[in-house]
């Protein structure tokens, strides 16, 4: 592991291969020093993360976390497994033990929704509480669904020109993970964001059907939309996730199919204020990622 240099804030990015982390990792290259924590160095290389900044480690290995965090000013905390709540606790305890002053945590907008009682919302809520009690200066970035979730449609679009999704008419103000990374970079490197919780939402509410139409426009070919039943969606989630997570995703999707969070939802405007420019629309994200769908 490369020793820290003398210039710029020293930042550890956990989840550096994740949807947001990979963009933050590339962004911090200029102006800040970064250690990019990954558990799979080959994946990091495939994503083009700068070799000399990549360090390997697992959230379950507390002593490794301490080695990586030693000497850092700030840590970006990304955890992804609600069945392993100790991950957040380990990262925060290691940061505290090594004198790190600031932690910026990626979380979920549903935390603010009293009707969100699914496992994923409860875990994010508990993780935020751990952060508040950590003794570190904290900031929470609550994100709506990242636009990159629709990459899960890429294979069926390429092979069959079809999108299959549950709750086709449920709107979400999905957000470009590049925008979230840009906001995170500002919060990690600027003063004045301590004890703040930002809701990072995209510029418009879109349903999966509307996203499919926009993708078809961008790709200049017709795409069909096939709505999955709850049972079909659950079967698909069960193929790749443990049962409690598959059930939680079903609860999330069923809740989204209910009353929307239309204009005026909590946190509207937080992202634009942090970025200093309008958030990226889905159509632009789709155009920039069209190659994945061709
Ligand atoms: N995904 C969504 O739709 C969504 C929507 C809104 C909010 N959120 C919130 O955003 C946060 C991140 O979730 P996500 O699913 O979006 O994450 P993600 O993009 O999949 O990123 C998770 C990152 O954590 C790494 N990681 C996981 N377990 C690890 C371990 N034990 N040791 C080291 N690294 C580990 C992963 O590495 P690998 O690349 O090796 O797996 C990956 O880099 C969560 O709080 C989630 O609730 C997610």
């Amino acid at each position: 592991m490369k020793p820290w240099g003398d210039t710029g804030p020293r930042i550890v990015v956990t989840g550096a291969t994740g949807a947001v982390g990979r963009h933050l990792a590339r962004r911090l290259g200029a102006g800040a020093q970064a250690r990019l924590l990954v558990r799979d160095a080959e994946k990091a290389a495939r994503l083009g993360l700068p070799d000399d900044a990549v360090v390997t480690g697992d959230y379950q290995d507390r002593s490794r976390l301490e080695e990586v965090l030693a000497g850092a000013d700030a840590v970006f905390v990304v955890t992804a497994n609600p069945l392993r709540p100790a991950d957040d606790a380990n990262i925060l305890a290691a940061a505290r033990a090594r004198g790190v002053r600031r932690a910026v945590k990626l979380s979920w907008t549903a935390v603010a929704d009293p009707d969100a009682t699914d496992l994923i919302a409860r875990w994010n809520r508990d993780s935020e509480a751990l952060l508040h009690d950590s003794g570190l200066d904290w900031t929470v970035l609550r994100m709506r669904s990242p636009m990159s979730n629709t990459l899960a449609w890429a294979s069926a679009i390429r092979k069959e020109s079809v999108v299959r999704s549950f709750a086709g008419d449920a709107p979400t103000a999905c957000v470009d993970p590049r925008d979230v990374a840009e906001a995170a970079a500002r919060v990690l490197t600027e003063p004045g964001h301590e004890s703040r919780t930002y809701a990072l939402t995209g510029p418009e509410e879109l349903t999966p059907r509307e996203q499919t139409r926009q993708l078809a426009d961008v790709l200049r070919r017709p795409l069909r939309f096939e709505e999955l039943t709850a049972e079909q969606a659950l079967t698909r989630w069960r193929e790749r996730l443990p049962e409690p997570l598959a059930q939680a995703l079903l609860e999330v999707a069923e809740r989204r199919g209910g009353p929307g969070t239309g204009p005026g939802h909590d946190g509207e405007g937080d992202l634009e204020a942090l970025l200093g420019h309008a958030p990226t629309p889905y159509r632009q994200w789709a155009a920039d990622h069209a190659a994945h769908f061709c």
Side-chain angles (χ1 to χ4, degrees):
M1 188 162 49
K2 211 174 74 169
W4 296 108
D6 293 327
T7 53
R10 302 163 170 188
I11 297 168
V12 171
V13 178
T14 69
T17 51
V20 171
R22 67 184 65 179
H23 298 294
L24 180 62
R26 292 175 190 136
R27 253 183 189 279
L28 287 178
Q33 301 181 65
R35 283 183 182 161
L36 311 174
L37 182 68
V38 306
R39 55 180 167 181
D40 179 349
E42 281 178 19
K43 182 172 181 183
R46 279 198 305 280
L47 291 170
L49 302 191
D51 234 15
D52 57 343
V54 168
V55 292
T56 52
D58 192 288
Y59 301 156
Q60 295 177 82
D61 183 347
R62 164 81 188 267
S63 61
R64 179 59 176 162
L65 290 173
E66 286 201 26
E67 278 170 23
V68 172
L69 285 158
D73 299 308
V75 56
F76 184 60
V77 180
V78 181
T79 54
N81 190 346
L83 300 176
R84 234 180 26 229
D87 286 354
D88 280 89
N90 270 346
I91 296 169
L92 294 172
R96 180 94 201 259
R98 289 310 182 124
V100 178
R101 287 194 314 276
R102 306 194 53 203
V104 176
K105 172 161 174 64
L106 190 62
S107 182
W108 187 23
T109 44
V111 165
D113 177 355
D115 294 332
T117 54
D118 61 89
L119 172 67
I120 304 169
R122 284 186 277 118
W123 162 70
N124 271 300
R125 232 172 248 134
D126 292 348
S127 302
E128 288 190 15
L130 276 180
L131 179 72
H132 297 158
D133 295 342
S134 67
L136 306 175
D137 289 341
W138 59 265
T139 309
V140 175
L141 302 179
R142 289 180 182 159
M143 159 172 90
R144 284 296 278 275
S145 299
M147 292 174 181
S148 48
N149 280 0
T150 59
L151 288 171
W153 298 344
S155 168
I157 288 179
R158 281 196 309 268
K159 293 180 195 150
E160 304 170 68
S161 297
V162 68
V163 169
R164 296 189 182 92
S165 168
F166 181 50
D169 297 311
T172 305
C174 57
V175 61
D176 189 326
R178 296 172 299 185
D179 288 346
V180 177
E182 187 178 338
R186 295 201 67 161
V187 168
L188 282 159
T189 55
E190 288 179 359
H193 302 288
E194 296 79 11
S195 308
R196 302 286 303 271
T197 297
Y198 298 108
L200 306 185
T201 64
E204 57 189 334
E205 298 269 340
L206 282 180
T207 66
R209 258 182 235 284
E210 288 162 343
Q211 287 177 306
T212 304
R213 275 195 285 275
Q214 293 198 5
L215 272 172
D217 284 351
V218 165
L219 300 174
R220 295 182 189 188
R221 64 192 178 87
L223 297 177
R224 271 181 307 120
F225 184 85
E226 275 180 27
E227 183 157 277
L228 299 176
T229 63
E231 198 49 48
Q232 286 168 330
L234 191 57
T235 303
R236 284 165 173 246
W237 286 320
R238 279 177 173 149
E239 282 165 12
R240 59 181 178 88
L241 294 169
E243 182 64 20
L245 285 180
Q247 289 290 347
L249 286 181
L250 184 64
E251 274 183 65
V252 172
E254 285 178 333
R255 195 174 64 242
R256 281 207 185 123
T261 47
H265 53 260
D266 278 354
E268 194 182 21
D270 280 0
L271 183 56
E272 182 154 358
L274 278 174
L275 297 177
H277 62 78
T280 309
Y282 182 72
R283 190 179 289 276
Q284 183 63 51
W285 178 90
D288 294 342
H289 295 81
H292 293 273
F293 300 95
C294 294

